[in-house]
Structure formats: structure tokens, C-alpha cells
Amino acid sequence: MRLTALIHDLQPEGPVSRHMHLGGGEEKVLRDYADGLFRRVTGHHRQGEDSEEPSEGDLLEHSVEPTGHVLASLSQLTLQCRFMSALREHAIPLAGLYVILDPSVRPDRPLMEVLDAAAAGGVRLFQYRNKTASMKDAFAEVGPLRQRARDLGVLFLVNDRCDLALAIDADGVHLGQTDLPYRYARQLLGPQRYIGLSTHNADQVAEAARLRPDYIGFGPIFKPASKADHDPVVGIEGLRSIRTLTSLPVFAIGGIQPSHVRQLLDAGANGIAVIGAICGAPDITTAAATFTGQIV
């Protein structure tokens, strides 16, 4: 069996260790390959290890004969490399309109109604956010929403709570600056789930560019109606000024209305994140379609 085919077949379901149950020479080749990938992607060397990185040409020349041993796994750190995002079965582009489902905006309106109506208006990205509910209550509320999102074929993330995201098998989590640090969230969630990170200034964007989450939110662009204790408003020029700091997808957020969409896209936003403009709209589907119709 060729080494490249062997590595292709390593599709673990969850977090794993890097120890391989192989023959001595075969183990070294595969370990060196994994460590080389880690160094190329992250720029870091593993502490206490000094293995020589094989070239791609060398790797193609190696073959590994079946030994009857079980391939346990590769390092979780190696599995966090960016190439692993290709394993996501239903990848949805991180762009367009991103709707945050927050029950505080319209307590009288079921979030399921918002989800269905927004999806009918072309929305493919959703986040569940409930800042006041207990874990038990949030779990009861979000479970049916997650299942509905799966039925609709849309992306569904959870705000702040990695434990809740895991409990309902969400597509990922969105983290604020005071939430669990990104690298620990990635360890918990694994490589296939999406992780977004809120940013509010140039320093935070630069740090996010180093950490490499799947996307960042940036704002507030305007004064948000849904949050009293918000960070300083950055404006459209603030968005434009940080666009050169990262190649990550950027979602503009904070007080955004349909009339702002073209300016925000011209300033470098990949998408628009909204709460009240959709959750509080008289006609959700029409409001969503007004946004999505401008985002191409």
C-alpha cells in the first residue's frame, strides 16, 4: 500500500493521539510526514522533536506494506491543519447573509418561524444566541432548531458555548473575545466544525489572522439595537482599514440595514451578519431576500 493512499484513508471521526502501531521504518516515515505537515502549516516545531522533514518527492517513493497492525491515529494538532476543512461533508461558502437567532429581539416570535422564513429568503448561515438562558433551557430551545437547520441544508452555529454546540451536533461555534480561547475550542470541536471569532479593532483582527479561525465578525459597524454594552462603533472606514490585515472571511456586524450592504461589500466584507433587521422584521422572508438579493 502506498503511503499517500494510507494517509488518504486516515479519516478519523474524533480527537486522536499521534501514536502509530506500525513497524519501525513505516512508523518513522508516517510520523515524519505528519510532523512536516504540521511545521509547514503552522510554522512551529514540536517541542523535544527533531525529525527530518521528508520532501514530497521522497514521500512518493515510499511504500508501506500491510502489517496487520491497526493505524490508531495522527496527532490532533496535525488534524487541525487547514487542509482538513476539505473533510466537511456539506461545506457552505462563508459569505452572504448571516442571521443570528436571538429570542430577546422578539420574545413573542418563535425562533423556528424566523429560521424557516429567513431560509425561504435565501439565508444559508445561522447562529443561535441566547445570552440569558440556562444551559438546560438553551438545550431545549436549540435542539429542534438544529434539526430543522439540518433538514433545510443550512449552516447552524452556536454562540459562545462549545459544550452546547457539541451536545446538539452543531456545525460550529462563534466565540467572543471573552469566551474560551480559540485553540482550546478547536481542540474540543475538532477540525470539521466551523469556528468564528468576534473582533472589534485592528489588534484583534491581526491576532485572529494568526490564529486562523474559519471566519471573523468585525464591528459594530453602526450602533447595534440588540446590545447595550457594545464595543466602540468602527464605521465603514474602520472595516476598510482592517481588510488588508487578514485573508479570512469577514462578516460585518452591528446595526446594519439593507441600504448599507453595497458600501460594506465595497469596503471588503465577505458577508453581513444581522440580528434585529431579520428577527424583528414585519416580513422576515422579504427582509432576508432584500439583503440576499444585493449580495452576489
Side-chain angles (χ1 to χ4, degrees):
M1 180 187 297
R2 296 186 64 79
L3 178 61
T4 50
L6 181 64
I7 293 171
H8 176 75
D9 287 339
L10 290 175
Q11 305 282 340
E13 293 294 329
V16 292
S17 73
R18 71 182 287 262
H19 300 292
M20 312 298 299
H21 300 294
L22 294 171
E26 299 151 356
E27 177 182 357
K28 183 179 187 303
V29 170
L30 198 52
R31 283 179 53 185
D32 287 351
Y33 176 78
D35 291 342
L37 268 179
F38 179 84
R39 288 196 298 274
R40 285 201 298 273
V41 173
T42 66
H44 296 291
H45 291 265
R46 294 189 187 285
Q47 196 171 27
E49 293 189 7
D50 192 27
S51 60
E52 181 180 354
E53 177 182 344
S55 69
E56 297 209 359
D58 292 337
L59 289 169
L60 292 175
E61 294 302 317
H62 281 91
S63 62
V64 179
E65 296 299 327
T67 64
H69 296 288
V70 177
L71 293 174
S73 49
L74 288 174
S75 164
Q76 184 178 357
L77 290 175
T78 301
L79 293 176
Q80 290 169 17
C81 297
R82 300 297 297 171
F83 74 91
M84 291 300 291
S85 63
L87 296 180
R88 290 168 177 155
E89 294 181 2
H90 306 290
I92 292 176
L94 293 173
L97 187 62
Y98 183 167
V99 171
I100 298 172
L101 303 170
D102 188 330
S104 69
V105 176
R106 278 282 302 271
D108 60 318
R109 175 176 274 172
L111 292 183
M112 189 71 75
E113 175 186 322
V114 180
L115 174 62
D116 283 340
V123 180
R124 304 283 289 166
L125 307 173
F126 291 88
Q127 179 194 136
Y128 170 77
R129 186 181 83 167
N130 191 329
K131 295 287 190 178
T132 60
S134 68
M135 181 62 174
K136 182 178 180 180
D137 289 343
F139 178 77
E141 181 176 53
V142 75
L145 293 169
R146 198 280 170 269
Q147 183 55 55
R148 183 60 175 154
R150 182 179 284 115
D151 294 340
L152 292 169
V154 299
L155 200 68
F156 191 85
L157 281 70
V158 169
N159 182 264
D160 295 350
R161 296 172 168 175
C162 293
D163 53 351
L164 184 57
L166 287 171
I168 66 165
D169 192 25
D171 294 306
V173 70
H174 182 87
L175 301 174
Q177 288 291 318
T178 60
D179 293 328
L180 186 70
Y182 170 77
R183 70 187 186 98
Y184 296 109
R186 180 58 74 193
Q187 288 176 11
L188 283 172
L189 297 180
Q192 295 194 47
R193 287 187 171 87
Y194 294 87
I195 300 180
L197 184 62
S198 290
T199 60
H200 311 289
N201 56 54
D203 289 342
Q204 291 173 359
V205 171
E207 175 64 6
R210 184 187 70 80
L211 294 172
R212 303 298 298 175
D214 293 287
Y215 71 89
I216 62 172
F218 183 72
I221 305 299
F222 308 109
K223 181 177 175 59
S226 64
K227 196 173 184 181
D229 58 340
H230 58 80
D231 286 86
V233 169
V234 298
I236 293 175
E237 289 308 310
L239 170 64
R240 195 187 310 277
S241 71
I242 62 90
R243 181 64 271 192
T244 59
L245 299 179
T246 180
S247 61
L248 294 170
V250 176
F251 284 86
I253 186 170
I256 297 171
Q257 298 297 322
S259 59
H260 303 134
V261 169
R262 180 45 52 190
Q263 292 174 284
L264 292 169
L265 296 179
D266 290 345
N270 299 93
I272 309 297
V274 296
I275 307 171
I278 295 298
C279 293
D283 185 329
I284 293 171
T285 299
T286 298
T290 302
F291 275 102
T292 59
Q294 300 182 70
I295 304 172
V296 294

